[in-house]
Amino acid sequence: MIRIAICDTDSKICGQVKDILNVAEIRLMNHFCIEDFWSGKDLYEVLLDGEYFDIIFLETDLQIMSGIEIGRSIRCEMKNETTQLVFISENDKNAMQLLSVRALDLIIKPVSEKKINTVLEKAINSIRDFKNLFLYKKRFTIYNVLLDDILYFESSNREVNIITNNYTDTFYDKLSNISSKLHYFIKIHKSYLINPNHILKSEYSKIQMSNGVLLPISRKNRIDVRNILNRIGLDNNYIF
């Protein structure tokens, strides 16, 4: 699943981009979770609360807080280098400033299906480069594993167990560090960080993973986990 935000003061632009993305979702056989914002401040506050988007379509000339200011906050304040920033503008006068926030592209209005699709495919390719692998270190050796192969992480004191389709391994790290890098993974318990793509069945107090293992959802996390599962389309008792 790819999480996308659209932020433009013109609701018609938001609707137009969203319609194009909905068509592209079917064509590309992907799953998009799309949220639109008409205020840069609203988007900024959501990002500060920990929401993560793979792609953000962002108007440059937003009121109160400009798109470029939000881009700087994403890169510098939030230390987020993986979100793909696509700016939308009436002209290219801010093109040089976009280099400082490492924008993927600039779309000049009026937006069109061709423009959106071109930049969307470029963004998806960039996302795959970032998201494809998880790297971890044991002594002097760095190991990598496909993210799609990871079922979940389990922490035990200062060690973390990584459970994949093919093997289990252990390395030194903190679950909080891993969670900050893998925004799509869900922390269901202080000891478990799971890949939602491997959820076989979810219930109120536990989740069954694709390897058949049942993992507990802590009381503290149950509401947040349920909200996340609902938001990404994995409702109660969801079975692949």
Side-chain angles (χ1 to χ4, degrees):
M1 184 187 70
I2 295 176
R3 302 200 67 230
I4 302 174
I6 308 165
C7 186
D8 198 296
T9 51
D10 188 340
S11 60
K12 291 182 179 179
I13 294 292
C14 287
Q16 187 178 359
V17 174
K18 194 170 186 177
D19 288 344
I20 294 171
L21 293 175
N22 285 332
V23 173
E25 178 181 25
I26 298 171
R27 178 175 57 83
L28 297 173
M29 293 184 292
N30 220 314
H31 181 199
F32 297 160
C33 179
I34 305 170
E35 294 186 40
D36 47 11
F37 301 85
W38 300 345
S39 159
K41 184 174 179 290
D42 289 344
L43 172 61
Y44 176 72
E45 289 176 351
V46 164
L47 293 170
L48 278 184
D49 285 340
E51 286 286 335
Y52 178 82
F53 296 99
D54 298 293
I55 306 170
I56 299 179
F57 289 89
L58 189 57
E59 183 186 11
T60 55
D61 299 320
L62 294 167
Q63 297 178 356
I64 302 178
M65 192 173 191
S66 74
I68 294 174
E69 288 176 316
I70 294 173
R72 288 199 187 103
S73 294
I74 290 171
R75 298 301 191 220
C76 301
E77 180 183 355
M78 303 173 195
K79 308 298 183 185
N80 176 351
E81 293 290 341
T82 59
T83 292
Q84 303 301 304
L85 301 178
V86 179
F87 286 88
I88 300 174
S89 180
E90 296 283 355
N91 51 60
D92 61 359
K93 67 179 181 180
N94 295 312
M96 293 304 295
Q97 294 185 61
L98 301 185
L99 295 175
S100 66
V101 296
R102 295 169 287 288
L104 179 70
D105 213 330
L106 171 66
I107 294 175
I108 304 298
K109 296 179 182 180
V111 300
S112 68
E113 185 173 1
K114 182 178 180 180
K115 292 177 184 176
I116 296 295
N117 283 332
T118 297
V119 75
L120 176 64
E121 292 183 22
K122 184 161 60 170
I124 290 174
N125 287 333
S126 296
I127 290 167
R128 285 173 179 159
D129 289 341
F130 280 112
K131 284 192 165 184
N132 199 34
L133 296 173
F134 173 76
L135 279 64
Y136 62 96
K137 187 175 182 179
K138 295 179 64 174
R139 294 181 63 83
F140 303 107
T141 304
I142 295 176
Y143 298 84
N144 62 69
V145 57
L146 288 170
L147 286 179
D148 286 344
D149 287 344
I150 300 172
L151 278 67
Y152 60 93
F153 295 91
E154 177 185 32
S155 69
S156 177
N157 296 321
R158 294 178 56 243
E159 293 183 331
V160 173
N161 298 319
I162 179 172
I163 292 83
T164 76
N165 282 326
N166 304 310
Y167 66 90
T168 297
D169 201 359
T170 302
F171 58 98
Y172 287 102
D173 205 340
K174 293 181 179 179
L175 208 60
S176 57
N177 291 338
I178 299 171
S179 178
S180 68
K181 299 172 186 175
L182 304 180
H183 301 279
Y184 182 54
F185 279 56
I186 304 171
K187 190 172 184 180
I188 63 170
H189 187 281
K190 66 178 182 180
S191 299
Y192 296 105
L193 181 69
I194 69 169
N195 183 347
N197 290 325
H198 283 284
I199 294 176
L200 182 65
K201 183 178 181 180
S202 68
E203 298 179 4
Y204 180 67
S205 61
K206 58 189 175 183
I207 284 179
Q208 185 175 16
M209 303 304 292
S210 58
N211 62 350
V213 172
L214 288 171
L215 300 177
I217 305 173
S218 67
R219 291 181 182 273
K220 176 183 177 182
N221 289 359
R222 283 175 188 171
I223 293 177
D224 288 341
V225 169
R226 191 58 48 212
N227 288 338
I228 292 171
L229 293 180
N230 286 334
R231 188 169 66 240
I232 65 177
L234 303 183
D235 299 328
N236 287 353
N237 300 316
Y238 181 90
I239 301 177
F240 280 94

